[in-house]
Amino acid sequence: MKTPVRVAITGGAGQISYSLIFRIAAGDMLGPDQPVILQLLEIPPAMDALKGVVMEINDCAFPLVQDIVATDDPDVAFAKADVALLVGARPRGKGMERADLLQANAEIFSVQGKALNDHASRDVKVLVVGNPANTNALIASANAPDLDPGQFTAMTRLDHNRALTQLAQKTGKHVTDIEGMIIWGNHSATQYPDIAHCKIDGKAAADLVDQNWYRSDFIPTVQKRGAAIIEARGASSAASAASAAIDHIHDWVLGSDGIVSMAIPSDGSYGIEPGVIYSYPVVCQNGGYEIVQGLDVDDFSREKMTATETELREERAAVENLL
Ligand code: NAI
């Protein structure tokens, strides 16, 4: 039997985790022959609910689950973790300003960054899902000086997948016919879903759709999809967010089929100076990822890429005290 992989998941009793944990346990993330040890973190008031989740995992009798740890101590949850999914976060409360939300989450992610630094596997792969995901990942990384900043990523794969489906539906094709989708920047309404490098069955996507549809319909639809789900469902996206988290880690560990979007530390590529966690087009192989270089950026794209970078630098400024 393969050595079990330790997967830490925060916010284990939340709605994303209610989908995520069971798919990981079924082998969707790391493969059907990869045993896992689930290490679930919650805050004390949610420990009873987490107990119920653990009972349900047990009741599934998953062949791949070797052990389950349920705790409210980050040091225990991240002990020897190979993969850490930071899903739990503080939701925006009534009357809470954006800066308050950033600060409240910053405190959570600085504690978790320290715990990862002190207790996780030296090769841990970290995915931040909890919002504001990019800046939370930056804070966790800043508090983990012994780990490589490149080990800290944030999730824009849900935006990527949403964009794929919008384009597939518009062109009457299937998502698997599309290559080269890119989400640039922040997981927020300033993100830039870019189809300039997309090919559909080998043809340039930009030639297959009307520019007006692309700019006035596609881009805002992808940017505001989260709000549209809340409006329709009365709750934020959960199963789709879990599915995107599975895709993100699956590809990072096992390799991607072409270009995917991951929010990673900016390194100056495409003029985005270091200091923020910015979503780039990447290709994953051999357990790592590399930014796809050399893509042309026209004036329209540059403006959008800068707008989302500016927002990330503002978020950074609001939490500078914790970096
Ligand atoms: P939820 O509110 O159902 O669950 C969050 C869970 O986190 C709760 O059980 C809560 O007790 C727990 N939690 C809070 N602080 C914690 C801490 N310090 N340590 C451990 N657990 C903690 O929320 P849901 O729907 O599961 O969403 C989780 C996060 O994911 C939210 O921040 C949401 O905005 C974000 N999200 C991100 C997406 C992305 O594409 N990046 C997409 C959808 C949601």
Side-chain angles (χ1 to χ4, degrees):
M1 190 180 76
K2 283 184 163 178
T3 310
V5 168
R6 292 179 178 270
V7 181
I9 304 167
T10 75
Q15 53 151 3
I16 292 177
S17 290
Y18 197 64
S19 175
L20 180 62
I21 293 170
F22 295 86
R23 289 197 50 198
I24 294 171
D28 290 356
M29 186 170 82
L30 298 170
D33 61 348
Q34 177 57 63
V36 290
I37 296 173
L38 300 169
Q39 306 187 164
L40 311 176
L41 180 69
E42 259 299 348
I43 49 175
M47 285 308 286
D48 273 343
L50 185 61
K51 216 180 277 171
V53 173
V54 171
M55 288 161 73
E56 284 205 72
I57 303 168
N58 282 324
D59 290 352
C60 293
F62 285 114
L64 293 175
V65 175
Q66 295 302 307
D67 197 7
I68 308 168
V69 175
T71 178
D72 58 10
D73 181 350
D75 292 353
V76 173
F78 294 131
K80 299 189 190 144
D82 301 296
V83 173
L85 299 160
L86 309 192
V87 180
R90 177 87 182 271
R92 195 175 196 143
K94 237 188 175 169
M96 217 172 170
E97 294 298 327
R98 193 179 157 78
D100 301 333
L101 182 73
L102 278 161
Q103 199 64 35
N105 277 297
E107 281 157 25
I108 294 173
F109 285 83
S110 59
V111 168
Q112 295 185 357
K114 285 190 186 91
L116 283 160
N117 189 63
D118 294 345
H119 300 285
S121 155
R122 297 304 82 189
D123 299 320
V124 64
K125 288 178 162 59
V126 182
L127 169 61
V128 177
V129 175
N131 281 318
N134 300 51
T135 297
N136 289 341
L138 183 70
I139 292 172
S141 168
N143 284 278
D146 302 336
L147 298 173
D148 183 330
Q151 291 172 251
F152 289 81
T153 67
M155 190 166 93
T156 49
R157 186 63 174 266
L158 178 55
D159 310 296
H160 181 102
N161 289 346
R162 287 167 170 167
L164 283 176
T165 296
Q166 291 300 317
L167 185 59
Q169 289 181 344
K170 179 70 179 173
T171 54
K173 297 287 181 179
H174 191 261
V175 286
T176 52
D177 299 326
I178 303 174
E179 276 172 47
M181 181 62 74
I182 304 172
I183 303 294
W184 299 97
N186 200 3
H187 169 68
S188 76
T190 68
Q191 67 174 273
Y192 171 40
D194 177 10
I195 65 163
H197 309 283
C198 267
K199 291 216 158 51
I200 307 181
D201 277 344
K203 295 192 195 95
D207 295 340
L208 298 174
V209 297
D210 173 39
Q211 277 299 300
N212 193 38
W213 173 80
Y214 170 53
R215 294 186 182 192
S216 312
D217 196 334
F218 172 84
I219 293 177
T221 297
V222 176
Q223 288 173 328
K224 295 181 199 153
R225 186 71 165 181
I229 304 272
I230 293 174
E231 178 70 25
R233 207 173 86 86
S236 64
S237 36
S240 55
S243 195
I246 297 232
D247 289 346
H248 180 116
I249 296 291
H250 173 277
D251 288 358
W252 191 359
V253 173
L254 298 169
S256 65
D257 185 10
I259 295 178
V260 290
S261 303
M262 284 172 74
I264 56 177
S266 55
D267 66 351
S269 294
Y270 295 99
I272 311 301
E273 292 305 315
V276 291
I277 304 277
Y278 192 91
S279 182
Y280 280 104
V282 302
V283 168
C284 304
Q285 62 190 89
N286 303 324
Y289 58 79
E290 266 186 36
I291 297 174
V292 177
Q293 300 289 351
L295 300 172
D296 288 336
V297 174
D298 64 13
D299 291 347
F300 177 78
S301 292
R302 175 55 63 195
E303 193 186 305
K304 298 266 176 223
M305 288 162 69
T306 303
T308 191
E309 179 190 1
T310 301
E311 183 185 47
L312 281 169
R313 297 213 181 270
E314 286 165 6
E315 288 186 13
R316 185 191 159 105
V319 298
E320 199 74 51
N321 58 321
L322 287 160
L323 295 175

